[in-house]
Amino acid sequence: MRNAVLIAGLTVWAAAGPAGQGPDSRPPAEAQYEIRLIARVVGTDHVRYSAAAGGERLDSRLEIVDRGTPLGVDSSLTVGADLAPRAFEARGRLYRFVHVDAAASIENGTATFSSRGASGRAAVTGPAFLTRGYAPLAGRAWLVGYWERQGRPEHIVSLPAGQAGPLRVRFEGDEMVRAGGRAVHLRRYTVDGVVWGREAVWLDDHGRLAALVTRVHILPLEAIRTDLREAFAQLQASAVRDRMRDLEAMRAAVRPVASGDFAITGATVIGGAGRPLPDATLVVRDGRIAGLGPRASTPVPEAMRTIEATGAVIVPGLWEMHAHASQIEWAPAYLAAGVTTVRDMGGELGYLTALRDTLDTGRGLGPRMLLAGLVDGAGEGGFGAVTAASPDEGRAVADRYHEAGFDQLKLYTLLAPDVVSAIAAHAHRLGMGVTGHVPRALTPQQGVERGMDQIAHLPVRGGPDGPGSRALIAALGSRRTVVDPTLSWTELLGRGPAESLDAIDPEASRLPPALAENYRSVANARATDLAPALASVKALADAGVRIVAGTDGALPGLSLVHELELFVRAGFTPQEALDAATRVPAAAMGRLDDIGTLETGKRADLLVLEASPLDDIGNLRRRRWVAVGGALRLCRSGGPGGVPQVSAADRFPGEWTADPACRWSPA
């Protein structure tokens, strides 16, 4: 049995039994944390505790280097003896483009706050906590302790008002780790709402932060107290297990409205393998398309459930070819946006394989996952924990990813030319593709000559008429290179001071506040001119380069439609833009015989729309049903209020419901 007592404003968990670790009478006044980004050690967080009138204050100095860019955040949090927040402050850069300059306080039932020039006040009428971004990391322990002291309420209000919606905390269990030759007792929690998505939090027996698995924008960030670094792998694995259980619970909450054997009749099918087929019948059996043709000549097996969808338009499920799905919330977000296949372009191996397997086996809610394993060169400024400094190391990395079932290798900027050649040749022998950033030591043309099949982001600089652009475009076209130009991500990062998020993407208003704050914190003196990039994408396509849709760190799921709108602005027809998110990526990944178009025998991955994307590619937002592997779910992206969501109403994304009659009712 364990008893909680309060010492100097801190919840202290007194251990009992031989496995327990009794706390000292007072916790240390300082703590040092090792900070990891995609499991790579990138910096430290130094925390100092001091007394405050009737309570305690922590001050944090977070210093990291992200791919050669130094980032730092100074933050503080003051709480009372009951751990109720009194004051908060955070200033610095949380990520390469995410800035924070916020302060808040609570006094006499009123919260006062300011953030990057804006200020306000709000009444505090119940349990509430002060947050803005993920810092101070150590403050998560006081949030958890406050939740415990408040009797574990269903949620806590996040202040400044509306910054992240309600905060939710869940106790996951006790956990023993070994570090420094001793057993250490920790308590594991899930915190939801400080950043977008769930965090794993471990407290020690003083109620102080031991470790944290969180997110910095789209990338996994971990903090672990330096004396516990030996336990990093164990704690990381525990967090993955918790998140997969959550993803399975999401699936249980959003059951298919049709699965197994059923037919959809009356819709126009834009299948990608020929002309649109009006008034069609599409028959699904055991997750695959068993029949597709005109309604008049395509029989529906006797007693099979039939869904009348006259007026609807059916297209293949969409592909997202540049994702970083480092948290489970991306999976239902993608599916709600009509994305049924995702290629992840670099993350942590254990998490990604667990996510892929949970989705592929149908236990979780989301699209199917294809994985590209990240590898960078050794030395300072690298990206991720997997590196290769020699050809032998490069081949070993390829073997490791192949054994884990990855589809591709993703190269990064510090790889040496001979290592690139070795990785590409070995990956090809293993049946894997090679994509990624063109390493700094190579030109894009040299990259493809050394074995890169695909290139992430736009390789042409300065437009198609820039220095060397024509020769590069011709070289990439002659090899049928695949490029995911991530125009929507470029546009978001290049947003000018007068441009709102809604002006760029009409679905930005649906973002949860904590995530929207990341994009709003972009600070540019003027907007980036996108015209040269648009012209380059069209020139690449005209030269034979295979353009595929990917959005990198843009709006989760939602920006894929905007990416296709940018392709149309560049000169693609709506059908060509749709192909870039269906048929072309399926072919590029060697999956066209199974998915990517709607044809008899292929998997039933499809999106049912209220209007045709061939009339307006933006009609892909007018989605009603989405199916992956024949499991049809009703998703309403902009329908009337009152439609249940995959999780609580304050969370993103998309509205989901399960209409048992599966009625078609176009808006």
Side-chain angles (χ1 to χ4, degrees):
M1 182 169 179
R2 306 182 58 79
N3 299 309
V5 297
L6 190 70
I7 299 178
L10 298 174
T11 302
V12 178
W13 296 94
Q21 176 198 355
D24 297 330
S25 59
R26 290 196 55 86
E30 297 187 26
Q32 188 90 355
Y33 297 88
E34 184 177 82
I35 306 300
R36 298 181 180 227
L37 184 68
I38 316 187
R40 180 191 185 102
V41 178
V42 294
T44 59
D45 184 18
H46 182 77
V47 177
R48 179 185 295 273
Y49 295 88
S50 58
E56 195 161 10
R57 169 181 169 131
L58 71 82
D59 290 273
S60 162
R61 174 59 182 169
L62 178 71
E63 295 179 298
I64 64 177
V65 177
D66 178 11
R67 287 160 280 183
T69 300
L71 305 174
V73 182
D74 291 302
S75 58
S76 65
L77 179 64
T78 302
V79 298
D82 58 356
L83 298 184
R86 292 181 175 177
F88 162 82
E89 195 169 4
R91 306 188 191 282
R93 205 149 48 126
L94 298 166
Y95 186 47
R96 292 180 298 167
F97 67 90
V98 180
H99 300 259
V100 61
D101 184 1
S105 62
I106 298 176
E107 188 173 359
N108 298 326
T110 299
T112 304
F113 50 87
S114 63
S115 178
R116 293 187 290 113
S119 61
R121 297 165 64 88
V124 181
T125 58
F129 213 79
L130 299 172
T131 65
R132 175 70 77 177
Y134 63 73
L137 301 174
R140 222 67 90 250
W142 283 351
L143 167 60
V144 169
Y146 176 69
W147 173 77
E148 294 275 17
R149 291 296 303 274
Q150 293 293 316
R152 298 186 172 187
E154 180 181 348
H155 70 268
I156 296 170
V157 173
S158 173
L159 297 171
Q163 187 268 334
L167 304 171
R168 290 178 171 81
V169 182
R170 186 176 72 224
F171 175 59
E172 300 289 0
D174 297 284
E175 187 162 1
M176 298 298 298
V177 301
R178 292 199 64 82
R182 62 191 178 96
V184 180
H185 169 263
L186 303 175
R187 291 172 60 84
R188 189 173 76 255
Y189 295 81
T190 291
V191 172
D192 188 1
V194 176
V195 297
W196 177 50
R198 296 159 176 82
E199 303 171 298
V201 179
W202 289 264
L203 304 191
D204 65 14
D205 282 340
H206 292 298
R208 293 265 176 92
L209 183 71
L212 171 68
V213 172
T214 184
R215 231 66 64 215
V216 49
H217 188 56
I218 60 170
L219 299 177
L221 183 81
E222 296 100 0
I224 185 165
R225 208 171 62 210
T226 52
D227 63 300
L228 299 175
R229 60 165 62 97
E230 295 173 50
F232 173 76
Q234 176 184 332
L235 299 181
Q236 189 182 42
S238 295
V240 169
R241 286 193 295 271
D242 288 344
R243 299 294 74 80
M244 294 310 115
R245 283 196 296 270
D246 288 343
L247 191 59
E248 292 176 10
M250 290 179 185
R251 178 185 177 276
V254 186
R255 297 184 180 278
V257 294
S259 60
D261 300 347
F262 62 93
I264 304 175
T265 60
T268 295
V269 175
I270 303 173
R275 293 175 178 268
L277 181 63
D279 195 22
T281 291
L282 188 151
V283 179
V284 175
R285 194 183 286 279
D286 294 329
R288 292 189 175 271
I289 299 172
L292 175 60
R295 189 201 312 232
S297 58
T298 305
V300 176
E302 187 176 353
M304 177 176 280
R305 180 181 181 185
T306 301
I307 300 167
E308 171 58 41
T310 297
V313 177
I314 304 177
V315 300
L318 304 179
W319 285 60
E320 163 64 83
M321 284 289 280
H322 195 129
H324 291 280
S326 63
Q327 62 192 76
I328 60 167
E329 286 77 11
W330 284 79
Y334 279 129
L335 196 60
V339 176
T340 57
T341 304
V342 164
R343 177 180 67 175
D344 189 279
M345 289 285 278
E348 296 176 351
L349 189 149
Y351 164 80
L352 287 177
T353 53
L355 178 63
R356 175 201 62 199
D357 295 346
T358 300
L359 294 173
D360 282 358
T361 57
R363 302 193 313 274
L365 181 67
R368 69 173 41 81
M369 298 283 298
L370 306 178
L371 305 180
L374 176 65
V375 54
D376 202 356
E380 296 296 323
F383 191 40
V386 180
T387 62
S390 69
D392 284 345
E393 289 183 0
R395 287 184 282 268
V397 166
D399 284 334
R400 180 185 178 196
Y401 279 126
H402 181 257
E403 290 169 3
F406 279 62
D407 303 271
Q408 293 182 314
L409 272 293
K410 179 188 177 179
L411 311 185
Y412 217 71
T413 55
L414 298 186
L415 287 166
D418 61 335
V419 179
V420 170
S421 298
I423 289 174
H426 194 57
H428 291 156
R429 283 193 291 271
L430 296 171
M432 303 174 73
V434 180
T435 186
H437 292 210
V438 177
R440 194 176 296 160
L442 299 170
T443 66
Q445 185 169 344
Q446 290 169 336
V448 297
E449 288 171 351
R450 287 178 177 268
M452 294 186 70
D453 312 295
Q454 305 181 15
I455 294 177
H457 307 297
L458 187 61
V460 180
R461 300 289 180 263
D465 297 318
S469 294
R470 288 294 172 189
L472 172 59
I473 291 169
L476 297 179
S478 67
R479 292 176 174 269
R480 300 280 291 158
T481 305
V482 176
V483 172
D484 60 280
T486 62
L487 295 174
S488 54
W489 181 226
T490 300
E491 186 181 36
L492 273 176
L493 287 188
R495 182 170 60 87
E499 290 182 292
S500 70
L501 287 178
D502 291 351
I504 292 176
D505 193 310
E507 293 196 279
S509 60
R510 298 177 51 221
L511 292 174
L515 184 59
E517 181 67 18
N518 285 354
Y519 300 110
R520 293 195 183 101
S521 71
V522 173
N524 295 309
R526 60 182 182 276
T528 298
D529 182 8
L530 207 61
L534 295 174
S536 295
V537 168
K538 184 62 167 67
L540 286 165
D542 290 345
V545 172
R546 293 177 287 172
I547 302 296
V548 296
T551 65
D552 199 1
L555 313 186
L558 305 177
S559 279
L560 190 67
V561 178
H562 187 55
E563 184 79 12
L564 301 186
E565 289 176 325
L566 292 174
F567 288 177
V568 171
R569 277 175 52 187
F572 287 39
T573 67
Q575 181 67 68
E576 289 169 339
L578 182 60
D579 287 346
T582 54
R583 180 180 57 81
V584 177
M589 297 300 292
R591 303 295 182 101
L592 190 56
D593 61 342
D594 195 43
I595 46 179
T597 61
L598 300 179
E599 299 178 79
T600 300
K602 292 191 174 183
R603 291 183 184 271
D605 290 4
L606 55 89
L607 178 60
V608 183
L609 306 168
E610 296 176 353
S612 174
L614 302 189
D615 296 333
D616 180 348
I617 197 67
N619 284 337
L620 287 168
R621 294 190 182 92
R622 299 180 64 180
R623 45 196 173 265
R624 181 59 60 97
W625 296 320
V626 62
V628 59
L632 188 73
R633 288 178 170 86
L634 180 61
C635 63
R636 301 185 60 164
S637 60
V643 180
Q645 292 186 305
V646 67
S647 53
D650 55 274
R651 295 192 192 138
F652 174 83
E655 295 80 34
W656 291 91
T657 188
D659 181 349
C662 206
R663 294 180 295 270
W664 168 250
S665 53

